[in-house]
Amino acid sequence: MREQSTMLSRLVALLRHAGATLRAERLVIVGGFLALLAETGLRLLEPWPLQYLVDHILLSSREAGVSPSLAAAGIACLILLLVVALRALAAYAWTVGFAIAGNRVLLAIRAKVFSHLQILSLKFHSKARMGDLITRLIDDVGMVRDVVVTAAMPLLGSILLLTAMLVVMAWLNWRLTMIALVGAPL
């Protein structure tokens, strides 16, 4: 337990030191978040052209005995393709945006750590193990970037998507949403 609190305090200290660098990358980070929101919204739009295609074209034409309108089906398919293409573009934009910001912050932190190592005394360097210093300089800082860019951002996107889907489900049919949520813990 004590080890976890030490690691957490180190992470907080690292984020405090990275604050200025993060502020310098705020445009890229804000752009990444906007692309993440756009990707989530487009994911929510994906089922609607299919719903229109199934409900209004295929099922209604079967019930009425009328052949389905190929123009309406084609438009629904084109809208679906457009939504999927825009979603892929937004996913690419937020992935690249966060990767760029993460790499720039990583470079700045490594430069700060290296500069700090340069001003330390010879006594420190004679006692310190070189492998440990190199590991701190290269691996530890890289792990922080990997956690934030590779794990936290996709998790944030998934939480955002789940929340938005629950809102849409409740808007469409709140009783069916409650029934679906009963099985969610399992």
Side-chain angles (χ1 to χ4, degrees):
M1 185 71 175
R2 180 165 164 72
E3 187 176 304
Q4 288 178 343
S5 76
T6 304
M7 290 174 61
L8 185 60
S9 65
R10 286 181 183 170
L11 179 62
V12 168
L14 180 64
L15 289 175
R16 194 177 317 121
H17 287 295
T21 309
L22 286 171
R23 280 189 293 279
E25 298 300 323
R26 69 179 167 263
L27 288 177
V28 177
I29 293 170
V30 167
F33 275 116
L34 290 175
L36 178 65
L37 290 173
E39 196 249 347
T40 302
L42 289 166
R43 275 186 185 234
L44 292 174
L45 289 178
E46 272 183 34
W48 297 106
L50 289 175
Q51 183 259 345
Y52 177 80
L53 188 66
V54 170
D55 290 351
H56 293 91
I57 296 175
L58 297 178
L59 293 180
S60 65
S61 65
R62 237 188 234 171
E63 292 171 0
V66 180
S67 63
S69 167
L70 288 177
I75 290 172
C77 289
L78 285 175
I79 291 172
L80 178 62
L81 284 174
L82 179 67
V83 168
V84 169
L86 289 174
R87 183 182 64 82
L89 186 64
Y92 177 76
W94 77 260
T95 302
V96 169
F98 287 134
I100 287 171
N103 283 329
R104 288 178 182 169
V105 170
L106 174 75
L107 180 65
I109 291 172
R110 281 186 180 158
K112 283 181 183 179
V113 171
F114 186 72
S115 295
H116 181 72
L117 285 175
Q118 294 297 314
I119 61 172
L120 292 174
S121 67
L122 285 175
K123 183 179 178 182
F124 171 82
H125 285 291
S126 64
K127 289 182 180 180
R129 297 183 316 208
M130 287 306 285
D132 188 42
L133 294 176
I134 291 171
T135 298
R136 298 271 182 241
L137 184 63
I138 296 173
D139 291 342
D140 291 357
V141 177
M143 281 187 214
V144 171
R145 186 219 38 209
D146 289 344
V147 165
V148 173
V149 173
T150 309
M153 290 304 131
L155 179 64
L156 176 67
S158 296
I159 290 171
L160 185 64
L161 180 64
L162 178 65
T163 305
M165 283 189 171
L166 286 173
V167 168
V168 169
M169 286 172 55
W171 177 65
L172 290 175
N173 189 336
W174 67 270
R175 290 183 184 108
L176 192 56
T177 303
M178 292 299 137
I179 292 170
L181 287 176
V182 168
L186 297 175

